[in-house]
Amino acid sequence: MATFTVTRNDDVVDPSDGRTSLREAVNGAIASSGDDTINLNGIAQVNQPIVINSNSGRITFQGNGSNSGFSGQDRSQIVFVNQATVSFSNLGFYNGYLYGGDGQKGGGGGLGAGGAIFINRGDVTADRVSFVANRAIGGNGGG
């Protein structure tokens, strides 16, 4: 069991800078055995989805209210849960965005699913979580 505290809110992975981004905290929690906690004290910006793959225990994201959580900056899905056990508590998902691909040669457009969070099998719990201004838009049909 490990506890990670996000100390930088931009989406940068730099193990030598002495700070921990959301992406670095998630990578550490996935690599750790047992249940882990990731503390967020601000709004972590993501440039691409945070992918949480199957892990050996529960990952708990713990915020401190409306001033903590995640932002997709109106250009990225925020979290993709893939066969993992995850809890979100006392935080928000802001400005997530996912656009399904456009169809080709008469085909339909792709599914836009999960602007804030997409769950591909898994156990996900949300307690005191807000979802604000997230969008998932299906792609256009091909002509």
Side-chain angles (χ1 to χ4, degrees):
M1 179 175 180
T3 299
F4 302 89
T5 299
V6 175
T7 57
R8 70 178 305 156
N9 291 324
D10 52 347
D11 196 358
V12 172
V13 174
D14 183 354
S16 66
D17 69 1
R19 299 186 299 165
T20 304
S21 68
L22 174 62
R23 194 169 303 279
E24 289 170 316
V26 169
N27 290 342
I30 290 170
S32 173
S33 61
D35 295 345
D36 300 298
T37 300
I38 298 174
N39 294 314
L40 292 109
N41 297 310
I43 307 293
Q45 312 290 318
V46 298
N47 297 326
Q48 58 186 356
I50 298 290
V51 178
I52 305 170
N53 288 310
S54 180
N55 52 311
S56 63
R58 176 176 297 277
I59 297 176
T60 299
F61 292 86
Q62 179 65 49
N64 62 11
S66 63
N67 293 322
S68 61
F70 320 95
S71 172
Q73 305 178 79
D74 287 319
R75 65 178 182 231
S76 177
Q77 179 182 64
I78 300 172
V79 174
F80 181 94
V81 176
N82 186 31
Q83 302 179 12
T85 303
V86 184
S87 294
F88 300 96
S89 180
N90 204 26
L91 50 77
F93 285 82
Y94 305 96
N95 304 309
Y97 176 80
L98 184 71
Y99 180 80
D102 290 333
Q104 301 286 322
K105 300 180 182 173
L111 175 67
I117 184 170
F118 184 82
I119 304 164
N120 178 37
R121 299 187 342 205
D123 178 5
V124 177
T125 304
D127 179 36
R128 297 182 320 270
V129 173
S130 59
F131 293 87
V132 179
N134 297 289
R135 299 178 297 149
I137 302 167
N140 296 314

